[in-house]
Amino acid sequence: MNNLTKLQKIDLDNIWHPCSQMKDYESFPPIVLKSGKGAYLIDENDKKYLDAVSSWWVNIFGHSNQKINDALYNQANTLEHAIFANFSHKPAIELSRSILEVVPNGLSKIFFGDNGSSAVEIALKLSFQYHQQIGKTTKTRFVALTNAYHGETIGALSVSGCELYNKIYKPLLLDIFRPTGPDCYRCPYGKCRDNCDAECFEHMEKLLSEKHNEISGVIVEPLVQCAAGMMIYSPVYLKKLRAACDKYDVHLIADEIAVGFGRTGKMFACEHANITPDIMCVSKGLTAGYMPLSLAIMTDTIYDAFYDDYDTMKAFLHSHSYSGNPLGCAIAVETLKMFKNENTIENNIAKSEFIKEQITEKLLDIPYVGEFRQIGMIGAIELVMDKETKEPFDSKKRVGYEIYKIALSKGVLLRPLGNIVYFMPPYIVNEDDITFMIDVAKESIIEYLKRENIM
Ligand SMILES: *Cc1c(COP(=O)(O)O)cnc(C)c1O
């Protein structure tokens, strides 16, 4: 292995990194970070990287943001953590008020978890137990879409539909109904996501009409299936889903973990379809990328089915050690304050337009760019072997990964999803940052194609 720093050596001796084949690190060792400031990460050799993926979709207001640092510092000096059963504290109470002000109308009760996957587990358990307690005991199964991603714990992984992450674990997983979901780039109906009538909803409709007696809930990522490659679909699908869930008495669980907090141009993606889910899961941007915290937010109807004398045994006996962690809550309160005071959602409109202009101008004439899709602050290009047939590159070629390594050497963190190169920067990026991000993406893609002798 070539010239590792002391820290890199210790890292590789001891640490197993997430979502990684550790053998890859032989030729591409971990980049050891020293600090972060604004949209940039800085490594131990003082090289800067523009964090174009918001450090896995969590960061919102930049790294080491002074206002959030202060909120964290003040809370740490007041109360760092305490048991949340029978006890409460101001950060959680303030958060309950400020989050309920911004979520879709009709959501009114909050259960605290400590990461996205745990919020999904909470939502599934709530939905299941609800139906048991109101006497609809045959409603025991869940529905999730093809290409879904809902996290990595066994329940969350069960509802995830990305084979890459769950295939080997199949024997361990819950038995899920999985109707074919939207696939707008390769739409089997020959339609376009901007003006279709979500014809693909027929699969869901058929399943719900036939099996609703067995179904407790449907979980979806509203509007963008992020992990599957920023697959954007029509809000009409969500409208139809809301109506069908009402008709067939099935919970609609919206997993807003990735798309919440402004990523799609609205505070929550459900707003594009003007719907209220029965349970909404949020995490990631909730703490602006600072701390693990998640919420499952639900209607009174669900809450009420658990509310009774103790000996009816209807309570929700779920807990996590760090439920309602005050540090996370204080940061979330500050995050929501910043959204309000800094008009974040409105200010992002011009930024997302600028991202679109830059991509349109610089990336679309590269011969292997099959589709450019964008919603709000999420932009993605899908690279394909053949633009006519939309034939994908062989995943074994690891096209995105190779481009990612080139882009890193040029100072942009563009961690891909297979053959999809995407941009999901923190909202504090300015026009210079965006220009730099897209320029480097262009140079890196072209450098890769030339190296492979296909351009
Ligand atoms: C990231 C993500 C999760 C899982 O959250 P973790 O905090 O990583 O457990 C669940 N659902 C969606 C849509 C996500 O993007």
Side-chain angles (χ1 to χ4, degrees):
M1 200 169 298
N2 45 358
N3 329 328
L4 292 176
T5 67
K6 203 170 147 201
L7 289 173
Q8 284 177 317
K9 274 200 203 92
I10 301 173
D11 177 293
L12 289 177
D13 279 345
N14 301 339
I15 296 176
W16 192 340
H17 289 271
C19 206
S20 297
Q21 170 48 264
M22 289 309 298
K23 191 162 193 290
D24 284 343
Y25 289 63
E26 280 179 16
S27 54
F28 189 52
I31 295 162
V32 179
L33 296 173
K34 184 168 74 179
S35 59
K37 194 70 206 161
Y40 291 83
L41 294 166
I42 298 128
D43 77 9
E44 54 179 335
N45 305 313
D46 293 317
K47 187 175 161 76
K48 285 172 72 185
Y49 305 87
L50 175 61
D51 189 355
V53 300
S54 295
S55 279
W56 262 346
W57 323 344
V58 296
N59 196 285
I60 293 212
F61 296 119
H63 295 281
S64 197
N65 181 292
Q66 198 56 53
K67 284 185 186 147
I68 301 178
N69 291 355
D70 290 345
L72 175 59
Y73 179 85
N74 291 335
Q75 189 55 47
N77 277 320
T78 314
L79 174 68
E80 81 304 335
H81 184 67
I83 182 171
F84 203 47
N86 289 121
F87 288 85
S88 194
H89 45 74
K90 211 165 140 198
I93 293 165
E94 275 190 73
L95 174 58
S96 73
R97 294 193 68 166
S98 41
I99 192 84
L100 290 180
E101 267 174 32
V102 295
V103 295
N105 269 336
L107 296 174
S108 50
K109 290 287 189 291
I110 305 168
F111 197 93
F112 289 71
D114 50 15
N115 61 63
S117 304
S118 75
V120 169
E121 303 284 347
I122 289 163
L124 298 177
K125 285 176 69 179
L126 280 173
S127 173
F128 177 89
Q129 190 173 339
Y130 168 90
H131 285 117
Q132 294 302 302
Q133 292 181 176
I134 64 160
K136 300 200 170 165
T137 51
T138 59
K139 284 179 166 287
T140 57
R141 294 180 65 185
F142 289 93
V143 181
L145 295 175
T146 44
N147 295 310
Y149 181 83
H150 298 290
E152 306 285 359
T153 52
I154 299 297
L157 193 65
S158 297
V159 280
S160 292
C162 296
E163 290 261 301
L164 177 64
Y165 303 115
N166 73 8
K167 191 168 172 208
I168 191 166
Y169 306 107
K170 283 269 160 71
L172 278 181
L173 303 180
L174 302 172
D175 191 15
I176 299 294
F177 287 119
R178 195 173 303 286
T180 304
D183 182 357
C184 301
Y185 174 42
R186 297 178 174 83
C187 178
Y189 306 85
K191 302 273 174 159
C192 156
R193 65 169 77 77
D194 297 327
N195 54 23
C196 73
D197 195 33
E199 283 76 4
C200 55
F201 189 76
E202 63 177 336
H203 303 290
M204 180 69 83
E205 174 69 42
K206 182 166 185 290
L207 173 71
L208 290 176
S209 71
E210 288 172 5
K211 302 281 188 192
H212 59 93
N213 283 332
E214 297 171 43
I215 297 172
S216 181
V218 178
I219 183 165
V220 286
E221 296 156 272
L223 238 47
V224 192
Q225 292 184 305
C226 293
M230 304 300 157
M231 292 174 69
I232 301 169
Y233 62 90
S234 165
V236 175
Y237 192 94
L238 294 175
K239 287 199 175 110
K240 289 188 171 183
L241 182 59
R242 178 67 276 179
C245 285
D246 285 339
K247 180 173 169 193
Y248 295 116
D249 201 6
V250 162
H251 287 141
L252 172 52
I253 302 168
D255 177 351
E256 291 255 5
I257 291 164
V259 291
F261 303 98
R263 291 288 175 198
T264 67
K266 306 231 185 226
M267 194 62 171
F268 296 103
C270 283
E271 292 169 38
H272 291 274
N274 218 345
I275 58 156
T276 299
D278 299 286
I279 307 174
M280 187 165 102
C281 302
V282 298
S283 185
K284 293 197 168 129
L286 172 64
T287 56
Y290 263 63
M291 297 272 295
L293 181 72
S294 65
L295 307 173
I297 312 172
M298 74 214 74
T299 59
D300 276 338
T301 312
I302 293 180
Y303 178 82
D304 290 345
F306 293 72
Y307 195 90
D308 209 336
D309 293 326
Y310 183 79
D311 58 13
T312 60
M313 301 317 278
K314 285 185 182 169
F316 188 50
L317 297 179
H318 183 107
S319 66
H320 294 287
S321 308
Y322 286 100
S323 286
N325 175 254
L327 300 172
C329 291
I331 292 170
V333 168
E334 182 61 29
T335 299
L336 288 169
K337 210 180 274 171
M338 287 168 73
F339 266 99
K340 211 190 241 177
N341 295 344
E342 298 176 15
N343 278 328
T344 306
I345 301 278
E346 258 163 60
N347 290 337
N348 279 353
I349 297 173
K351 290 185 191 190
S352 80
E353 273 305 306
F354 191 71
I355 292 172
K356 184 189 216 158
E357 279 166 31
Q358 286 288 303
I359 293 179
T360 308
E361 182 189 320
K362 294 173 177 166
L363 300 183
L364 296 198
D365 54 2
I366 298 175
Y368 298 92
V369 173
E371 186 184 49
F372 163 44
R373 44 187 181 255
Q374 185 191 18
I375 182 164
M377 294 295 282
I378 305 173
I381 53 167
E382 178 159 348
L383 299 169
V384 290
M385 268 304 286
D386 184 326
K387 280 169 91 147
E388 288 304 308
T389 62
K390 304 179 182 177
E391 186 195 338
F393 277 101
D394 180 355
S395 64
K396 295 219 166 68
K397 283 183 78 86
R398 306 181 80 188
V399 173
Y401 178 69
E402 294 301 321
I403 293 167
Y404 160 64
K405 288 195 285 185
I406 300 170
L408 273 176
S409 71
K410 299 177 190 291
V412 178
L413 196 179
L414 267 181
R415 195 182 160 96
L417 292 157
N419 302 329
I420 288 116
V421 176
Y422 70 90
F423 308 93
M424 202 200 267
Y427 305 160
I428 42 115
V429 282
N430 59 32
E431 294 202 347
D432 288 345
D433 298 327
I434 294 170
T435 306
F436 174 59
M437 174 175 86
I438 307 297
D439 282 344
V440 166
K442 176 179 180 153
E443 289 163 24
S444 306
I445 294 168
I446 291 176
E447 195 172 312
Y448 170 76
L449 294 170
K450 291 201 164 141
R451 199 174 80 193
E452 293 294 300
N453 278 323
I454 51 175
M455 189 177 157

